[in-house]
Amino acid sequence: MVLAIAGSDSSGGAGIAADIRAAHDLGATLRLALTVVTAQSDRRVTVIHPVPLDTLREQIWLALGDGAVGAIKIGMLGSAGAVETVAELLAAYRGLPVVVDPIVASSSGRRLLDDPAMAVFIERMLPLASLLTPNLAELQILAAAITGAAPPATISEQADIVLAAGAKAVLAKGGHDQGDSAVDLLFQSGGDEPNQFSSKRFPVAMRGTGCMLSTAICVALAQGGSLAASCRRGKDSLTILFERAAAGQAGRSDRG
């Protein structure tokens, strides 16, 4: 059983809806703590309505109260108050793996954490993260916010900045990069060369992949997997989804 602390996506493509799909595919039960309600489509976000903090607190408290949750996934938080609330509650559950998907901007480019919330996120959330799963753009935004300067050129240098700020591990997702393969890099505190997880790049656009990957990794950690093995399992589960989507797209094309 895992707990997902994240926002809703009215289009059904990402957020809690994607978390539910990913957990179900891996045979896990998902408990939910909703942070924001949004109105959005594949192209834009028009409304972001924060869940009252007392309601957010009660959702998390009840989800964790019976000791059945084996790992926690954190997605969109949306405000400094939500970051503070989540961090305060999770401080009592230091033994649980925490996978943080840093939702700092939408795919359409809208910032989802303003500067004050970003500062609190860096101070309070990064030290709680067993694993942070940014895409390459998010990694750059975090590195720049931490240092107050333009991010360094390499992924490795950017990951080192985030690790130094408190995260125990960083999975830099290569899905938005170029090339025939999508390569994710796992950097760990005190580690040397990063683990590499590669898959074929499919010509398919799919929203919610970051949500699904972080939830799949969270499920694998709850089931006792090591960090590297859990990242590999998450990557494999996402690859299967892309293969199915590509096959379905080809089938529609064949039918004309």
Side-chain angles (χ1 to χ4, degrees):
M1 185 175 292
V2 298
L3 168 63
I5 303 172
S8 76
D9 173 356
S10 62
S11 76
I16 286 289
D19 297 331
I20 293 171
R21 291 196 299 272
H24 178 268
D25 286 347
L26 294 174
T29 299
L30 190 71
R31 290 182 176 175
L32 314 176
L34 203 61
T35 57
V36 297
V37 176
T38 71
Q40 59 181 291
S41 68
D42 290 347
R43 296 184 178 182
R44 59 186 182 137
V45 180
T46 60
V47 174
I48 299 175
H49 180 70
V51 169
L53 295 181
D54 56 349
T55 302
L56 174 60
R57 184 180 293 108
E58 191 74 4
Q59 290 177 95
I60 297 170
W61 183 77
L62 289 173
L64 295 175
D66 63 4
V69 168
I72 301 166
K73 175 262 174 73
I74 298 173
M76 181 178 176
L77 293 170
S79 70
V83 177
E84 291 276 12
T85 297
V86 172
E88 176 187 333
L89 288 166
L90 295 195
Y93 295 89
R94 293 279 187 173
L96 292 178
V98 177
V99 179
V100 179
D101 187 15
I103 310 297
V104 297
S106 69
S107 56
S108 61
R110 176 169 176 172
R111 281 291 298 268
L112 301 177
L113 275 184
D114 61 18
D115 290 342
M118 177 68 83
V120 177
F121 181 88
I122 291 167
E123 178 185 356
R124 299 296 307 275
M125 197 55 58
L126 291 189
L128 293 174
S130 307
L131 175 67
L132 198 77
T133 62
N135 61 36
L136 299 184
E138 291 165 340
L139 183 59
Q140 289 183 347
I141 291 171
L142 283 166
I146 291 167
T147 61
T154 70
I155 295 172
S156 176
E157 290 173 312
Q158 294 163 17
D160 284 344
I161 290 171
V162 177
L163 291 171
K168 297 176 183 63
V170 174
L171 182 68
K173 300 177 295 190
H176 292 172
D177 207 353
Q178 304 296 317
D180 294 334
S181 297
V183 181
D184 299 346
L185 300 173
L186 175 62
F187 300 88
Q188 299 186 63
S189 295
D192 296 317
E193 293 298 313
N195 296 86
Q196 295 191 28
F197 309 101
S198 180
S199 66
K200 175 183 175 182
R201 189 181 300 280
F202 294 90
V204 176
M206 187 186 305
R207 293 183 61 240
T209 54
C211 303
M212 288 185 280
L213 176 63
S214 57
T215 299
I217 294 170
C218 190
V219 169
L221 289 171
Q223 294 172 341
S226 69
L227 183 58
S230 296
C231 289
R232 177 74 267 174
R233 185 178 176 192
K235 180 77 167 178
D236 289 344
S237 68
L238 203 61
T239 299
I240 291 171
L241 290 177
F242 273 109
E243 288 174 340
R244 291 173 181 168
Q249 189 175 81
R252 289 193 296 273
S253 177
D254 291 342
R255 290 192 296 271

